[in-house]
DNA sequence: TGACAAACGCAACCCTGTTGCATTAAGATA
DNA sequence: TATCTTAATGCAACAGGGTTGCGTTTGTCA
């Protein structure tokens, strides 16, 4: 995984600038190592006393996506989330506290995908696979108070 | 798969009514046999000259979901989609024309899920798995004009 | 046929995300 | 270091999916 300096250098070579907001957003992705939404980022920047208009954040995320630095994906809500572009992986999502984690998932679906392509005359380019359930804390809490939405 | 009459009878027993809009929306799900969004339904109802306010459609979808008649899911956009609650399955989504199809997918992920649960201290309740790519028509068109977003 | 609550329509609203345009500032060049 | 170009930013207004409050309509049952 390349670091922030390398990213900024690469961008500089292509005529893009190294700004406070750009650096801070990259910092957040490297610090949290988990999917972040525009709202997450706006919140964290505010905490760090970095002023950034929401438009700027949306545009920066779009920019980083187009530069293949981060990737965008969707969970079971209407919020776009982003994370540093890395090897293909999946997520667990707690349906109670909404904690999202990246997980290892060795099993590849390649042979299945070939079959699907054949049976459905469909060229698969990528797939999304997310697991919804309860994180450890919510699972234990659930045992006590039972009600889980 | 139970039919519309049975559904309406069950609802009636629980004190819910059999209205034009409710019947029409169920008709659409049975007719199209594929995921529908609120917008899809509003469009089709209009075509059939059935007046239905968008609020009513949203509320009816929510109602049918709560009655475990349809289920809600999310793809890679901000639109909620619904389909008749049936056996667990997955979808192919054409990234060009946005055609969505339900597919057979025999391979179950159970053993993988057990491993994920153990490794991540996470209780899996369900998962989503969708395949994105090109349908037959778009794939062929792509061969001619090449550019695929 | 009247009464009651489920179903409905309408307007106003919320939230995530986008667009147009004027302003600011990074960083290359003189 | 001053100047210049244009990437980056802020602001206001907007777009689209979805929700809420509330008054009205209508299905159903006694």
């Amino acid at each position: 995984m390349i670091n922030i300096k390398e990213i900024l250098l690469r961008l500089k070579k292509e005529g893009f600038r190294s700004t406070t907001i750009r650096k801070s957003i990259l910092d957040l992705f490297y610090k949290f190592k988990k999917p972040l939404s525009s709202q997450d980022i706006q919140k964290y920047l505010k905490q760090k006393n970095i002023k950034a208009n929401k438009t700027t954040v949306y545009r920066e995320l779009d920019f980083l996506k187009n530069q293949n630095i981060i990737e965008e994906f969707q969970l079971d809500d209407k919020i776009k989330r982003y994370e540093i572009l890395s090897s293909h992986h999946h997520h667990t999502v707690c349906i109670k506290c909404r904690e999202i984690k990246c997980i290892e998932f060795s099993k590849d679906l390649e042979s299945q995908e070939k079959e699907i392509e054949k049976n459905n005359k469909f060229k698969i380019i990528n797939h999304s696979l997310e697991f919804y359930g309860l994180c450890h804390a919510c699972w234990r809490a659930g045992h006590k108070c039972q009600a889980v939405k």
Side-chain angles (χ1 to χ4, degrees), chain A residues 11 13-14 16 20 23 36-37 41 48-49 55 63 68 79 85 91 94 101 106 113 123 126 134 146 149:
Chain A
L11 291 178
K13 277 181 191 160
E14 295 176 46
F16 301 110
T20 309
K23 282 186 283 183
L36 298 175
S37 66
I41 290 167
K48 289 177 73 181
N49 280 318
T55 307
F63 170 81
N68 288 310
I79 299 165
L85 190 58
H91 302 99
C94 179
K101 277 190 174 174
S106 53
E113 292 197 345
K123 176 66 187 167
N126 59 40
L134 294 166
Q146 64 205 324
K149 189 216 146 182

Side-chain angles (χ1 to χ4, degrees), chain A residues 99-119:
Chain A
E99 182 199 50
I100 300 159
K101 277 190 174 174
C102 307
I103 55 166
E104 301 274 336
F105 183 60
S106 53
K107 181 74 194 161
D108 69 83
L109 300 163
E110 248 180 69
S111 59
Q112 278 74 47
E113 292 197 345
K114 285 219 174 66
E115 208 182 308
I116 290 168
E117 290 193 329
K118 207 182 79 188
N119 294 343

Side-chain angles (χ1 to χ4, degrees), chain A residues 11 17 45 65 89 93 95 97 100 102 118-119 130 141 147:
Chain A
L11 291 178
R17 295 170 189 171
L45 290 181
K65 185 180 81 177
H89 64 273
V93 183
I95 56 174
C97 71
I100 300 159
C102 307
K118 207 182 79 188
N119 294 343
E130 324 300 337

Side-chain angles (χ1 to χ4, degrees), chain A residues 1-90:
Chain A
M1 199 194 233
I2 63 169
N3 64 34
I4 296 180
K5 276 192 182 171
E6 287 175 275
I7 290 174
L8 293 174
L9 194 68
R10 195 192 98 195
L11 291 178
K12 194 169 196 173
K13 277 181 191 160
E14 295 176 46
F16 301 110
R17 295 170 189 171
S18 173
T19 66
T20 309
I21 291 174
R22 179 159 296 157
K23 282 186 283 183
S24 304
I25 289 178
L26 285 172
D27 266 342
L28 290 177
F29 279 115
Y30 274 84
K31 183 182 160 197
F32 284 103
K33 290 180 176 55
K34 66 168 189 179
L36 298 175
S37 66
S38 176
Q39 292 83 255
D40 292 335
I41 290 167
Q42 288 174 55
K43 191 182 74 187
Y44 294 133
L45 290 181
K46 207 169 184 179
Q47 282 174 10
K48 289 177 73 181
N49 280 318
I50 296 164
K51 275 193 183 177
N53 189 276
K54 69 168 182 166
T55 307
T56 305
V57 175
Y58 280 116
R59 278 202 272 239
E60 186 60 28
L61 290 171
D62 208 52
F63 170 81
L64 294 173
K65 185 180 81 177
N66 291 332
Q67 294 299 319
N68 288 310
I69 292 162
I70 59 174
E71 60 186 324
E72 179 188 296
F73 67 98
Q74 201 88 18
L75 292 179
D76 61 342
D77 52 27
K78 60 177 166 180
I79 299 165
K80 288 183 181 176
R81 282 167 231 270
Y82 301 84
E83 58 189 335
I84 294 286
L85 190 58
S86 63
S87 62
H88 182 64
H89 64 273
H90 304 283

